[in-house]
C-alpha cells in the first residue's frame, strides 16, 4: 500500500506535541475552517516516486479524458495522504485508551489511582471516536488500494460527517478533561508518570516503533482532526467532476463539517484561553500588555492581564536559569468594582512626576550612539563579547526610556477604596484598555474576592496565556526583524466623514519610536461640522517606526473638566485606526493616498517618506531673488540689514504671542501654512505682516526653522564645522571657552550677528519653560542640527549609515548650541574687541 503518500502534509506534527498549544495549556482551541491550509499534493506526488506513477498522458485521447485521469490521480494522492494521517490518528487514540482499562480496574480497589468519575471525565468519548475512525479507516483503505475510476467513497465521508455529534460532546468536555487530568497529575504521582509518557505506535512502514507523547497533547488531537477532515473534503471536491456520484455526497459531508466547525467556534476564540477557577467559572484572557505603574512614588513596569471579570496587575518574578518563569500578582480589581475616576475626582491621586524632555532626548542620543557602535562592531566582524556588552547597555537604556517617558495618566479605581495609576505614552493605547474594560462591564458581572488558592491558579495561568511575551524595546527584536523606518514621514490629513452630528473635531498622529508609541502631531480643531476638511500637512520624524496611528477627537471646551493635570487628555475619542508603514510602499517620491476606517468614520490622508540621508541635504535655491536657499550674506546685503528680515519678523511674532505656547519650536506647524509663508517671504510680499498676525504660531516657528534648514550652507558654516566638533570635545573648561569664542569670532559678520540675535531669543523662550515646557536643552535639540549640519558636499565625506552619522554628529551639534545657550550673554562688540575672550590660565 502506498498510503503514507504526503502523510506529513496532513499531520505535520506526526506524533509530536501539538504546535497549537504553547507550553501545555488550558486552552480552548480555535478550529480553522478555512480551506487555505489545503496541501499542495500535486507537485510532491510527481517527485516522490512512491509507487504512484505520473499520469500517462499519451494513452489518453481527449483533453477531457486527460483531465479526468488527472483528477482521478489527484484524488488518489489526497486520499493516500489522508489515510496515512488517519492511521497515525487511530494509533494516538489507541495510546490514549491504553491506560484506561487498568485505571478502571484499580478504581474499585482499596487503592485507586483515579476515581471512576475522574476516569469518565478525562477519557470522555475517546472510545466512541476511536471506533468511528477505525471503521472509517478499515472501509476506505481497500478502496484506495484498488483505486480506479469506478471506486466511490463519498458515502464513507458522509457517514463520518454525520457522526460529528460525538466530537461536539468531546469539545464541550475538553476543558474539564484537561483540568481534571492536570489536578490528578498534581495530586497523584502514579497518574503523573502515566500521563507524561504515553506510547504511540508508529505507522506500519515507519522505522520508529513507538514515540512518547503527553496525555495533554493527545487530548488535543481530536480537536485538530475535525479541521483536517474538512480540508480533505475541500481537496477532494476540487478534483471530483460535478457529475461523479461522489460529488453530492462529498458536498453534503463538507456542509455538515463546516456547520459543525462554525457552531463550536462561536464558543471558542483563538487567543482567549479559559481559566477555570475552583468555583467553575470560566475566565478568559481578553487582553494583556506591559504598562508603567506609578507605585509609591516610583515607576514600575508591570504586565497587566484583563480577564472576563477581573483586571490583574502582575510582575515577572526573577527565577534561576532554566526554571519555569512565574508571575507575582501585585493587585487585582474585579471588573464589577472597577471605575475610571473622572479628572476632577482624581485630585487625591498622586501627581505625575514628569521626566524633563532633555533627559529623554539625551537617552535617545545615547541609544542611537550605541546602535551605531554595534553596527560598526558587526561590520568589522567584532568580538561577540563586545557586541553582547553593547546589547546589554542598549537594553538598560531602552528600558529606562520605556519606564520614564510615559506621562498620560490612566487611573483605575476600586469602589472599595484603593486607586491605581498607570502612565502611558499613547492615548490610543489608553483608550484600547478603557474600551476593552467597558465592553466587559456591559455584561452582568458579580463582585467577588479571590481566595489565595484561586489567586495562585489565576496568576499561574498568566505565564501560559500571555500574548505579549517581550518588553517592547528594540533590543528585544531579532536581527532579521524589520528595523523600522528612520527619516521623515510627511502626512497630509485631508478630511473625515461619517460623523452622526456636528462637533468640534481634530486628529492626532502617533508613531512608534524606540519600541513604544508617542503622539507626534495634531491638526487644528475644525468647529461645528460633520465633515471636517483639515488638509494639513505634517513632517514627523521617524526613529525605527513601523506603524502610524490616527486618532480623531471631539474637543472639550467644558471648563469644569479641564483639570490640573497637564497630561490628562479629556477630549473624547471619536475613532482611532492604525496602518503598518511598509518600507517598500512608503519609500516613493510620490504621495500615497489612503483611508483609515474607524468606528464608522473614514479619515482620508496621504503620506510620503524621506529617508534620513535624503533629508540631510541642503540644496541652494535656483533663483537668488528670494530668501530661502540663498546665502545669508546675499540676503543681508540686498536688504541692507544686519539680520535677515524673515528672522526678525518670525522671532518678533513668536515673542509677541508664542512664547507661552506649549512645545513652541518642537511641535510641527502645518506644512501647507509654512509653505504659504515661505512663498510670501520669497516674493517679499507687502502682505507679510497681515499674514503673520493671522497665522498659527507653530507655522511661524516652523518657517523660521525651515529658513535655517534650507540655507545653502549652515549658519555656523561648513568651513568651521570640523573645528566646532573638536572644540566641543575639549575637556578643559578654559581651553573649551577659548576655542568656542574664537570660532564665533571667525564667523562672517551676518552669520555671527544673526546667530547672537537668535541665541538671545531662544534664551527668552527657555525662561518660560514652566509654561511652554521648552528647556534650553529642548531648544538645542531642535535648533542644533539646523544651524550646524554641514551641506551636502561636506557631509558626503563621512556619510556612512544615515542613522549612524546622524546619531553621533547630532549629539555634538546639540552640545555646541547648548554650550552657547548656557553661556553668559555674548556681545558682538566685546567678542570682536577681545582677541582672547577670557584670560586663559590654562
Amino acid at each position: 500500500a502506498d498510503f503514507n503518500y504526503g502523510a506529513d502534509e496532513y499531520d505535520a506534527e506526526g506524533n509530536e506535541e501539538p504546535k497549537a498549544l504553547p507550553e501545555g495549556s488550558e486552552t480552548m482551541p480555535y478550529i480553522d475552517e478555512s480551506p487555505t491550509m489545503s496541501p499542495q499534493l500535486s507537485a510532491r506526488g510527481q517527485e516522490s516516486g512512491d509507487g504512484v506513477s505520473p499520469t500517462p498522458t499519451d494513452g489518453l485521447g481527449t483533453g477531457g479524458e486527460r483531465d479526468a485521469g488527472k483528477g482521478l490521480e489527484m484524488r488518489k494522492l489526497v486520499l493516500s495522504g489522508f489515510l496515512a494521517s488517519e492511521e497515525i490518528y487511530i494509533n494516538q487514540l489507541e495510546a490514549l485508551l491504553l491506560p484506561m482499562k487498568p485505571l478502571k480496574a484499580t478504581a474499585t480497589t482499596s487503592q485507586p489511582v483515579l476515581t471512576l468519575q475522574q476516569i469518565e471525565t478525562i477519557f470522555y468519548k475517546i472510545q466512541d471516536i476511536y471506533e468511528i475512525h477505525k471503521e472509517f479507516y478499515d472501509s476506505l483503505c481497500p478502496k484506495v488500494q484498488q483505486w480506479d475510476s469506478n471506486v466511490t467513497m463519498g458515502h464513507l465521508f458522509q457517514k463520518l460527517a454525520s457522526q460529528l455529534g460525538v466530537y461536539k460532546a468531546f469539545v464541550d468536555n475538553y476543558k474539564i478533561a484537561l483540568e481534571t487530568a492536570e489536578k490528578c497529575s498534581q495530586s497523584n504521582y502514579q497518574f503523573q508518570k502515566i500521563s507524561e509518557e504515553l506510547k504511540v505506535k508508529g505507522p506500519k512502514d515507519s522505522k520508529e516503533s513507538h514515540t512518547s507523547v503527553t496525555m495533554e497533547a493527545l487530548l488535543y488531537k481530536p480537536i485538530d482532526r475535525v479541521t483536517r477532515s474538512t480540508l480533505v473534503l475541500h481537496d477532494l471536491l476540487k478534483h471530483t467532476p460535478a457529475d461523479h456520484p461522489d460529488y453530492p455526497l462529498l458536498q453534503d459531508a463538507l456542509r455538515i463539517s463546516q456547520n459543525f466547525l462554525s457552531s463550536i467556534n462561536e464558543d471558542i476564540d483563538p487567543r482567549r484561553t479559559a481559566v477555570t477557577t475552583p468555583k467553575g467559572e470560566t475566565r478568559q484572557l481578553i487582553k494583556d500588555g506591559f504598562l508603567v505603574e506609578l507605585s509609591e512614588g516610583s515607576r514600575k513596569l508591570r504586565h497587566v492581564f484583563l480577564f472576563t471579570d477581573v483586571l490583574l496587575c502582575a510582575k515577572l518574578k526573577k527565577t534561576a536559569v532554566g526554571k519555569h518563569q512565574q508571575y507575582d500578582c501585585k493587585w487585582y480589581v474585579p471588573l464589577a468594582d472597577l471605575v475610571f475616576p473622572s479628572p476632577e475626582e482624581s485630585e487625591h491621586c498622586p501627581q505625575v512626576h514628569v521626566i524633563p524632555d532633555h533627559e529623554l532626548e539625551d537617552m535617545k542620543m545615547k541609544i542611537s550612539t550605541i546602535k551605531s557602535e554595534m553596527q560598526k562592531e558587526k561590520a568589522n566582524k567584532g568580538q561577540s563579547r563586545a557586541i553582547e556588552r553593547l546589547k546589554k547597555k542598549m537594553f538598560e537604556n531602552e528600558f529606562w526610556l520605556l519606564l520614564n517617558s510615559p506621562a498620560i495618566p490612566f487611573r483605575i479605581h476600586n469602589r472599595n477604596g484603593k486607586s491605581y495609576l498607570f502612565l502611558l505614552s499613547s492615548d490610543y493605547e489608553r483608550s484600547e484598555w478603557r474600551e476593552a474594560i467597558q465592553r466587559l462591564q456591559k455584561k452582568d458581572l458579580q463582585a467577588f474576592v479571590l481566595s489565595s488558592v484561586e489567586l495562585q491558579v489565576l496568576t499561574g495561568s498568566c505565564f501560559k496565556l500571555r500574548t505579549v511575551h517581550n518588553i517592547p524595546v528594540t533590543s528585544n527584536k531579532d536581527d532579521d526583524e524589520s528595523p523600522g523606518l528612520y527619516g521623515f514621514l510627511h502626512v497630509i490629513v485631508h478630511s473625515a466623514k461619517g460623523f452622526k452630528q456636528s462637533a468640534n473635531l481634530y486628529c492626532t498622529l502617533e508613531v512608534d519610536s524606540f519600541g513604544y508609541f508617542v503622539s507626534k502631531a495634531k491638526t487644528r480643531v475644525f468647529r461645528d461640522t460633520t465633515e471636517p476638511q483639515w488638509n494639513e500637512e505634517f513632517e514627523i520624524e521617524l526613529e525605527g517606526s513601523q506603524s502610524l496611528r490616527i486618532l480623531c477627537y471631539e474637543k472639550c471646551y467644558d471648563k469644569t473638566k479641564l483639570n490640573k493635570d497637564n497630561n490628562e487628555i479629556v477630549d473624547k475619542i471619536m475613532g482611532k485606526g492604525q496602518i503598518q508603514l511598509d518600507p517598500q510602499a512608503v519609500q516613493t517620491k510620490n504621495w500615497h493616498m489612503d483611508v483609515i476606517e474607524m468606528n464608522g468614520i473614514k479619515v482620508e490622508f496621504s503620506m510620503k517618506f524621506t529617508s534620513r540621508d535624503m533629508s540631510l541635504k541642503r540644496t541652494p535655491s535656483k533663483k537668488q531673488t528670494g530668501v530661502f536657499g540663498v546665502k545669508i550674506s546675499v540676503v543681508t546685503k540686498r536688504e541692507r540689514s544686519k539680520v535677515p528680515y524673515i528672522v526678525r519678523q518670525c522671532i518678533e511674532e513668536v515673542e509677541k504671542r508664542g512664547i507661552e505656547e506649549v512645545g513652541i519650536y518642537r511641535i510641527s506647524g502645518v506644512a501647507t501654512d509654512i509653505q504659504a509663508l515661505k512663498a510670501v517671504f520669497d516674493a517679499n510680499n507687502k502682505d507679510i505682516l497681515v499674514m503673520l498676525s493671522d497665522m498659527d504660531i507653530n507655522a511661524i516657528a516652523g518657517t523660521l526653522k525651515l529658513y535655517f534648514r534650507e540655507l545653502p550652507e549652515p549658519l555656523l558654516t561648513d568651513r568651521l564645522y570640523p573645528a566646532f566638533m573638536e572644540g566641543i570635545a575639549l575637556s578643559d573648561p578654559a581651553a573649551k571657552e577659548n576655542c568656542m569664542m574664537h570660532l564665533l569670532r571667525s564667523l562672517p559678520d551676518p552669520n555671527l550677528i544673526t546667530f547672537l540675535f537668535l541665541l538671545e531669543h531662544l534664551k527668552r523662550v527657555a525662561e518660560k519653560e514652566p509654561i511652554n515646557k521648552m528647556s534650553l536643552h529642548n531648544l538645542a535639540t531642535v535648533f542644533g542640527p539646523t544651524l550646524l549640519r554641514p551641506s551636502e558636499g561636506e557631509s558626503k565625506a563621512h556619510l556612512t549609515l544615515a542613522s549612524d552619522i546622524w546619531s553621533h554628529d547630532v549629539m555634538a551639534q546639540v552640545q555646541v548650541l547648548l554650550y552657547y545657550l548656557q553661556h553668559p550673554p555674548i556681545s558682538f562688540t566685546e567678542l570682536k574687541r577681545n582677541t582672547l575672550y577670557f584670560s586663559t590660565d590654562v
Side-chain angles (χ1 to χ4, degrees):
D2 47 19
F3 52 64
N4 71 357
Y5 222 98
D8 44 350
E9 290 281 7
Y10 275 101
D11 200 327
E13 304 118 31
N15 293 326
E16 289 151 20
E17 299 282 323
K19 293 187 181 66
L21 288 178
E23 313 168 40
S25 136
E26 296 120 338
T27 329
M28 258 325 261
Y30 177 74
I31 297 184
D32 189 347
E33 301 166 51
S34 70
T36 50
M37 286 165 54
S38 51
Q40 303 301 308
L41 282 163
S42 51
R44 295 194 40 188
Q46 310 296 305
E47 292 158 18
S48 83
D50 205 354
V52 181
S53 56
T55 316
T57 45
D58 44 327
L60 289 167
T62 64
E65 283 171 0
R66 197 159 47 243
D67 285 351
K70 188 165 177 257
L72 185 66
E73 192 62 30
M74 285 305 297
R75 289 207 300 287
K76 178 172 183 182
L77 292 179
V78 171
L79 287 169
S80 305
F82 184 58
L83 266 178
S85 70
E86 190 72 2
E87 184 195 351
I88 291 168
Y89 179 49
I90 290 167
N91 290 347
Q92 289 166 341
L93 293 172
E94 235 170 22
L96 203 49
L97 288 169
L98 203 61
M100 193 170 81
K101 280 183 187 138
L103 284 170
K104 272 189 176 166
T106 64
T108 49
T109 65
S110 58
Q111 286 183 309
V113 179
L114 301 183
T115 65
L116 280 171
Q117 180 60 52
Q118 287 168 330
I119 295 167
E120 183 55 39
T121 306
I122 295 170
F123 297 98
Y124 187 66
K125 295 291 177 194
I126 302 285
Q127 184 70 44
D128 297 358
I129 293 174
Y130 171 75
E131 283 164 12
I132 290 168
H133 281 269
K134 186 82 176 78
E135 187 192 342
F136 171 76
Y137 178 84
D138 291 344
S139 313
L140 185 60
C141 198
K143 287 182 177 289
V144 177
Q145 283 168 342
Q146 290 138 31
W147 189 249
D148 65 28
S149 56
N150 302 320
V151 171
T152 58
M153 44 69 206
H155 58 288
L156 298 178
F157 278 94
Q158 193 184 32
K159 185 177 177 187
L160 188 64
S162 68
Q163 294 168 311
L164 281 171
V166 177
Y167 274 90
K168 175 82 175 112
F170 175 84
V171 169
D172 290 344
N173 180 70
Y174 174 72
K175 282 205 306 276
I176 305 157
L178 264 194
E179 271 152 30
T180 310
E182 197 166 308
K183 277 183 198 158
C184 294
S185 286
Q186 284 164 2
S187 58
N188 187 304
Y189 179 70
Q190 257 180 300
F191 182 67
Q192 189 186 348
K193 292 304 288 175
I194 295 169
S195 62
E196 274 177 2
E197 280 199 36
L198 291 168
K199 294 276 185 279
V200 179
K201 238 180 5 197
K204 285 192 199 97
D205 40 10
S206 87
K207 292 178 185 65
E208 287 179 44
S209 58
H210 284 87
T211 45
S212 291
V213 189
T214 65
M215 182 173 287
E216 187 177 353
L218 289 179
L219 281 172
Y220 181 72
K221 295 296 176 187
I223 284 175
D224 206 26
R225 196 67 201 163
V226 189
T227 317
R228 293 281 162 84
S229 316
T230 314
L231 294 176
V232 169
L233 289 166
H234 271 289
D235 287 344
L236 286 173
L237 276 165
K238 219 185 294 175
H239 300 292
T240 304
D243 55 3
H244 192 286
D246 273 346
Y247 194 82
L249 302 176
L250 292 171
Q251 243 181 346
D252 193 43
L254 181 61
R255 182 184 53 77
I256 298 169
S257 303
Q258 283 178 324
N259 287 342
F260 170 74
L261 283 182
S262 46
S263 76
I264 60 173
N265 274 344
E266 280 168 15
D267 319 320
I268 298 171
D269 192 317
R271 267 198 6 225
R272 310 195 174 159
T273 335
V275 181
T276 309
T277 64
K279 287 184 190 164
E281 297 161 342
T282 300
R283 266 204 193 104
Q284 294 178 321
L285 178 66
I286 305 299
K287 179 176 172 60
D288 69 302
F290 288 97
L291 295 181
V292 172
E293 186 188 11
L294 199 62
S295 167
E296 294 162 4
S298 65
R299 292 164 176 254
K300 310 276 190 206
L301 191 68
R302 304 289 193 221
H303 199 148
V304 181
F305 295 85
L306 174 62
F307 290 93
T308 18
D309 62 347
V310 63
L311 185 75
L312 183 131
C313 176
K315 77 170 227 207
L316 204 52
K317 280 193 217 168
K318 285 193 168 68
T319 48
V321 181
K323 275 275 170 65
H324 191 59
Q325 281 185 298
Q326 279 298 333
Y327 281 98
D328 201 4
C329 173
K330 300 311 286 180
W331 51 263
Y332 71 92
V333 181
L335 298 191
D337 294 329
L338 187 151
V339 281
F340 299 113
S342 62
E344 57 272 21
E345 289 167 346
S346 58
E347 279 175 32
H348 59 280
C349 285
Q351 277 303 300
V352 180
H353 167 59
V354 178
I355 306 289
D357 273 358
H358 68 85
E359 287 186 31
L360 299 173
E361 290 303 325
D362 271 357
M363 188 53 86
K364 286 180 186 177
M365 292 290 181
K366 276 187 197 161
I367 291 168
S368 298
T369 309
I370 296 171
K371 264 189 193 156
S372 46
E373 280 175 31
M374 273 165 71
Q375 276 157 349
K376 278 186 198 126
E377 281 286 344
K378 281 178 186 164
N380 302 334
K381 300 280 186 286
Q383 291 183 339
S384 56
R385 289 237 317 265
I387 294 173
E388 277 312 309
R389 199 173 59 247
L390 287 169
K391 259 193 178 165
K392 186 172 178 244
K393 204 163 150 195
M394 176 141 134
F395 177 81
E396 284 163 9
N397 288 349
E398 287 196 317
F399 186 79
W400 183 92
L401 200 57
L402 182 73
L403 209 55
N404 289 294
S405 49
I408 300 170
F410 176 42
R411 303 175 193 281
I412 299 284
H413 182 64
N414 186 337
R415 268 186 243 273
N416 304 326
K418 193 138 191 250
S419 288
Y420 304 96
L421 171 59
F422 291 112
L423 297 173
L424 281 72
S425 57
S426 146
D427 198 27
Y428 189 101
E429 226 153 289
R430 181 173 73 157
S431 82
E432 278 189 326
W433 278 99
R434 193 177 276 164
E435 285 163 16
I437 291 169
Q438 284 167 339
R439 263 198 305 275
L440 294 170
Q441 287 180 326
K442 287 192 179 125
K443 296 174 184 159
D444 180 28
L445 294 171
Q446 254 89 61
F448 56 84
V449 176
L450 293 173
S451 70
S452 59
V453 175
E454 288 173 305
L455 187 56
Q456 217 177 335
V457 170
L458 192 60
T459 313
S461 71
C462 289
F463 187 78
K464 290 179 186 171
L465 302 186
R466 61 191 182 156
T467 62
V468 181
H469 292 86
N470 290 329
I471 295 169
V473 291
T474 52
S475 33
N476 271 340
K477 279 188 183 172
D478 296 333
D479 288 346
D480 55 356
E481 272 186 76
S482 161
L485 294 168
Y486 286 86
F488 294 91
L489 185 70
H490 300 264
V491 181
I492 302 174
V493 182
H494 297 293
S495 60
K497 48 177 173 291
F499 297 97
K500 302 279 186 289
Q501 54 208 59
S502 285
N504 304 313
L505 303 163
Y506 69 92
C507 283
T508 64
L509 306 177
E510 291 184 355
V511 295
D512 53 326
S513 64
F514 295 95
Y516 58 89
F517 278 87
V518 275
S519 184
K520 287 282 195 173
K522 179 177 174 179
T523 67
R524 65 185 185 279
V525 178
F526 214 100
R527 292 194 166 224
D528 200 23
T529 178
T530 54
E531 293 203 359
Q533 301 282 330
W534 294 288
N535 293 315
E536 292 182 61
E537 184 184 331
F538 301 95
E539 180 184 82
I540 296 171
E541 190 169 1
L542 302 182
E543 295 161 300
S545 310
Q546 293 179 320
S547 306
L548 168 72
R549 289 170 167 178
I550 297 187
L551 293 96
C552 192
Y553 290 90
E554 179 179 0
K555 181 78 181 153
C556 163
Y557 290 111
D558 179 350
K559 287 279 185 288
T560 59
K561 285 195 178 146
L562 301 173
N563 79 323
K564 307 87 209 150
D565 194 336
N566 298 331
N567 292 296
E568 185 69 71
I569 299 166
V570 293
D571 299 337
K572 182 179 168 201
I573 295 182
M574 304 297 284
K576 59 188 191 325
Q578 171 169 321
I579 56 156
Q580 290 304 107
L581 296 173
D582 171 18
Q584 270 68 47
V586 182
Q587 281 174 332
T588 55
K589 290 199 172 67
N590 309 326
W591 286 96
H592 164 71
M593 180 120 173
D594 214 332
V595 173
I596 280 189
E597 291 203 36
M598 36 171 117
N599 222 359
I601 299 163
K602 287 183 180 177
V603 176
E604 274 195 7
F605 64 98
S606 300
M607 56 184 179
K608 68 176 179 182
F609 172 73
T610 317
S611 63
R612 189 159 264 142
D613 43 356
M614 290 303 292
S615 59
L616 287 172
K617 286 181 182 170
R618 290 179 183 270
T619 31
S621 169
K622 290 190 175 57
K623 48 181 213 303
Q624 292 293 300
T625 51
V627 290
F628 281 82
V630 178
K631 279 190 174 172
I632 197 162
S633 54
V634 173
V635 173
T636 48
K637 198 170 173 183
R638 188 199 313 141
E639 292 178 355
R640 295 197 180 86
S641 63
K642 291 184 174 172
V643 175
Y645 178 67
I646 181 171
V647 176
R648 283 175 296 151
Q649 286 308 323
C650 289
I651 284 178
E652 191 181 309
E653 202 62 40
V654 169
E655 295 204 353
K656 202 188 301 175
R657 59 191 178 93
I659 205 145
E660 294 191 347
E661 180 81 12
V662 174
I664 187 74
Y665 290 119
R666 187 174 57 81
I667 293 200
S668 50
V670 177
T672 38
D673 290 351
I674 294 172
Q675 289 306 318
L677 279 171
K678 175 182 174 178
V680 171
F681 275 111
D682 266 343
N684 195 12
N685 193 310
K686 55 185 184 304
D687 299 331
I688 287 177
L689 293 177
V690 179
M691 197 165 167
L692 276 176
S693 60
D694 287 346
M695 194 58 85
D696 171 58
I697 200 66
N698 287 320
I700 294 169
T703 305
L704 182 65
K705 286 192 297 184
L706 184 70
Y707 168 72
F708 286 119
R709 196 158 77 213
E710 289 198 354
L711 282 174
E713 83 159 351
L715 187 65
L716 299 187
T717 71
D718 282 330
R719 183 176 62 86
L720 295 175
Y721 182 74
F724 275 113
M725 293 296 102
E726 282 163 18
I728 198 67
L730 293 171
S731 35
D732 177 69
K736 186 186 274 190
E737 168 77 29
N738 231 342
C739 176
M740 297 301 275
M741 291 306 139
H742 171 68
L743 287 171
L744 282 188
R745 202 176 302 111
S746 314
L747 285 169
D749 281 3
N751 298 54
L752 175 56
I753 296 167
T754 303
F755 178 65
L756 296 176
F757 185 74
L758 176 68
L759 209 56
E760 290 314 305
H761 163 63
L762 294 178
K763 286 180 182 181
R764 286 191 291 276
V765 171
E767 282 167 12
K768 299 281 185 190
E769 185 192 352
I771 305 165
N772 64 26
K773 305 277 187 280
M774 291 302 287
S775 61
L776 288 173
H777 191 287
N778 283 352
L779 292 162
T781 305
V782 171
F783 275 96
T786 304
L787 302 177
L788 277 131
R789 190 187 65 237
S791 54
E792 176 75 333
E794 295 301 312
S795 61
K796 260 274 161 57
H798 54 267
L799 185 71
T800 46
L801 241 166
S803 56
D804 193 41
I805 157 205
W806 176 81
S807 58
H808 199 267
D809 284 12
V810 165
M811 283 176 89
Q813 292 159 11
V814 169
Q815 291 305 319
V816 169
L817 181 54
L818 189 58
Y819 181 85
Y820 293 123
L821 283 169
Q822 289 171 338
H823 197 279
I826 304 164
S827 124
F828 177 74
T829 43
E830 282 289 308
L831 199 57
K832 286 293 186 184
R833 193 178 319 125
N834 285 336
T835 340
L836 283 180
Y837 196 69
F838 280 107
S839 68
T840 50
D841 312 328
V842 181

